[in-house]
Amino acid sequence: MAHGTLRVTDPAPGVRLLTIHRPQALNALNPQVLRELMQALADASGDASVRALLLTGAGEKAFVAGADIAAMRAMSALEGREFAVQGHALMRALEMAPFPAIALVNGYALGGGCELALACDFIVASEKAVFGQPEVGLGIVPGFGGTQRLTRLVGKGMAVELCTTGRQVKADEALRIGLVNHVVAPAALLDKGLELAGQIAQKAPVAVKLAKHLVQRGQDMDLANANAFEADVFGVAFGTDDRVEGMGAFLEKRKAEFRGR
Ligand code: CAA
């Protein structure tokens, strides 16, 4: 399926791949791209067959080179705020999606592109990936959650350094500072994403969804409440047919057949 700026495919059972396709602007995010990503995410979230989402950028050069600077140039302060609100809504929707979302960063992930990757549940990078928050060079600040999600992932000191210098981080450093989970050769990026998504798709669907939500929602709670939430959700998982199947299959030494109930 093709929206105007998006390619939507299912490259393997249970796996939805979204490819941002604006090569003339290095896949920069304008209001249309944000709208189409939001719609594609809503479609995937409403489709129980989707077990994991992969998000990448078209072409060799960029994942997403940021929010669209030409579009932003014409915005008033209020329009700029609306644009940020639209971006934040998409990032939140990724975090709350009922399946893990994996960013496959194939090149530049700058500004809003870095923020889009950060809003995915985790990031796999190609050796050509470059991350950065260069907004201060344009007279603005990150507007799609970069100051907050970067801080949570790599810590305050590195987040302040990157958001105030605009310094670009290559794949090897991104791995070292915990910004990405894996770095692979450019030609192996999609295969790595499919491998991880395939592992997710084989596990119990309700348990996968609950595990993601525990991590995502728990990180904004204090430890005692987050652990109490985990205990409650652990109990909820015991109520699923898949829990009976998973434990039975282990003890009977056979492969589990999960039904997502
Ligand atoms: N917005 C709009 N157009 C962009 C763009 C962006 N963020 N990034 C690149 N493009 C366009 C360029 O204008 C150029 O278009 P033309 O061919 O029509 O001139 C085309 O994409 C190719 O880009 P370059 O010629 O610049 O390619 P390069 O290889 O020399 O450099 C780059 C690549 C380092 C990524 C460089 O394009 C660049 O620095 N881009 C801007 C990065 C940036 O500042 N991003 C942050 C935006 S602000 C933001 O994102 C705010 C937020 O938090 C929400």
Side-chain angles (χ1 to χ4, degrees):
M1 207 192 312
H3 298 249
T5 62
L6 213 52
R7 302 290 178 265
V8 183
T9 57
D10 290 340
V15 184
R16 175 76 38 101
L17 171 65
L18 305 183
T19 306
I20 301 169
H21 194 271
R22 272 193 88 206
Q24 74 283 9
L26 300 186
N27 305 322
L29 303 173
N30 61 14
Q32 183 190 357
V33 182
L34 294 180
R35 224 173 18 249
E36 289 174 358
L37 276 170
M38 194 65 148
Q39 184 58 54
L41 194 54
D43 292 346
S45 299
D47 181 344
S49 73
V50 177
R51 307 291 317 288
L53 185 93
L54 302 176
L55 177 59
T56 195
E60 301 282 298
K61 202 163 166 183
F63 172 71
V64 167
D68 190 303
I69 298 169
M72 287 189 296
R73 188 182 187 183
M75 289 179 189
S76 67
L78 280 179
E79 288 165 343
R81 179 183 177 277
E82 284 309 309
F83 186 45
V85 167
Q86 189 191 8
H88 274 287
L90 172 65
M91 306 305 154
R92 188 66 182 152
L94 274 167
E95 285 174 342
M96 289 296 106
F99 37 69
I102 306 171
L104 301 181
V105 175
N106 48 311
Y108 287 110
L110 301 178
C114 187
E115 292 168 304
L116 184 64
L118 286 165
C120 291
D121 293 292
F122 60 92
I123 303 171
V124 179
S126 103
E127 288 159 350
K128 285 192 181 162
V130 179
F131 298 85
Q133 298 290 163
E135 289 87 347
V136 286
L138 297 168
I140 56 172
V141 295
F144 294 168
T147 57
Q148 305 311 307
R149 291 193 182 88
L150 195 58
T151 306
R152 283 162 173 74
L153 200 56
V154 303
K156 182 198 74 173
M158 186 58 79
V160 173
E161 179 186 330
L162 297 180
C163 291
T164 58
T165 63
R167 181 169 74 78
Q168 295 186 353
V169 169
K170 292 191 177 150
D172 54 347
E173 182 181 359
L175 184 64
R176 187 164 51 74
I177 65 176
L179 181 51
V180 309
N181 286 16
H182 305 276
V183 176
V184 297
L189 186 61
L190 180 58
D191 281 348
K192 186 67 186 177
L194 288 171
E195 176 197 326
L196 291 161
Q199 287 169 5
I200 291 165
Q202 284 174 20
K203 299 292 188 278
V206 179
V208 166
K209 179 164 73 173
L210 294 176
K212 163 177 168 156
H213 282 302
L214 279 168
V215 175
Q216 285 288 6
R217 292 176 58 190
Q219 63 181 343
D220 293 329
M221 296 178 178
D222 64 79
L223 184 60
N225 277 309
N227 280 333
F229 178 42
E230 189 193 76
D232 290 343
V233 172
F234 188 70
V236 168
F238 272 70
T240 63
D241 292 350
D242 285 347
R243 189 277 296 205
V244 176
E245 169 64 9
M247 292 186 180
F250 175 81
L251 294 172
E252 292 154 23
K253 302 189 190 307
R254 61 176 173 80
K255 190 174 181 306
E257 287 187 22
F258 295 119
R259 291 185 300 163
R261 281 188 243 153

